Amino acid sequence: MFPASLLIIAVVIFRCAVGASDDATRLMLANFSPLAAMTVCSGAFFPRKWALLVPVAAQILSDIGLHLMGKSISWSFSIVLVVAYVVIAAVGLLAKKPFTPSKLLGASLVGTLLFYVITNTMAFWQDPGYVKSLAGWVQALTTGIPGYPPTYLFLFKSIGGDLFFTGLIALFVTRAQAAPAAEAEEEPAAEPTEA
């Protein structure tokens, strides 16, 4: 499946390039990533097994790439990310039939919100800076830890990035899937042979 493997490679390169960049660039691009968009598009465009395999492969391969580059990877958090991507792929599957672009963008938005809640809940449980209470959880979902940018800013970046990359990936995949059909229509029919 050519578009799926190409998407995995593109996402791995993007994540590793951002990981290799300076602190200011990483902060600017934090949560502006094609991975969640690729996940919802995988659910919407690819067969079910690919819908789950594509984002999990991209996450694992890019984590390995970042680790090999000397970047610190929280493997327990990576597992939570994989779970979040499986949830987003399931949301993408809901946009499959009947497919409409607005349904895909809606699935992307729902996937972004679910990802945000899942990952910030994990951060709430792992980070000692949050009081383990309802107020601490709300803090994790809104303002975050004092001294750092508010977490809702990352939500806005995620929404913008996910909608942008969802549109871009959807355009790429629909064109890649339509190309063989268009080529088949253009081939002239074989002329009958006389016996």
Side-chain angles (χ1 to χ4, degrees):
M1 181 164 267
F2 173 73
S5 58
L6 191 58
L7 283 174
I8 292 169
I9 292 167
V11 168
V12 169
I13 290 171
F14 183 92
R15 281 195 76 214
C16 290
V18 170
S21 63
D22 59 58
D23 290 341
T25 303
R26 275 197 309 275
L27 184 60
M28 182 182 69
L29 291 175
N31 289 44
F32 189 83
S33 168
L35 196 47
M38 182 191 65
T39 304
V40 78
C41 287
S42 294
F45 293 115
F46 300 147
R48 187 177 301 243
K49 71 175 182 175
W50 284 98
L52 301 176
L53 181 63
V54 167
V56 171
Q59 173 67 37
I60 291 170
L61 291 173
S62 57
D63 278 351
I64 291 170
L66 289 167
H67 179 71
L68 292 173
M69 293 166 50
K71 302 298 177 186
S72 176
I73 299 294
S74 168
W75 297 107
S76 61
F77 200 74
S78 288
I79 292 169
V80 171
L81 291 175
V82 167
V83 170
Y85 292 131
V86 168
V87 170
I88 295 171
V91 171
L93 287 168
L94 297 175
K96 189 180 279 274
K97 292 184 183 171
F99 173 80
T100 64
S102 60
K103 203 176 189 185
L104 180 64
L105 292 177
S108 179
L109 185 58
V110 169
T112 302
L113 294 173
L114 288 171
F115 181 84
Y116 181 77
V117 170
I118 292 168
T119 57
N120 280 354
T121 299
M122 178 66 171
F124 160 73
W125 284 113
Q126 283 189 335
D127 196 319
Y130 292 116
V131 176
K132 305 305 180 240
S133 66
L134 179 59
W137 183 64
V138 170
Q139 177 188 358
L141 293 175
T142 55
T143 59
I145 296 181
Y148 293 96
T151 54
Y152 65 80
L153 291 179
F154 295 108
L155 173 62
F156 295 147
K157 281 188 197 178
S158 294
I159 290 171
D162 290 350
L163 291 176
F164 170 76
F165 284 116
T166 296
L168 190 65
I169 293 168
L171 181 65
F172 167 75
V173 171
T174 53
R175 291 216 173 165
Q177 290 177 341
E183 288 174 9
E185 287 178 9
E186 290 177 7
E187 289 180 11
E191 302 217 4
T193 57
E194 293 182 23

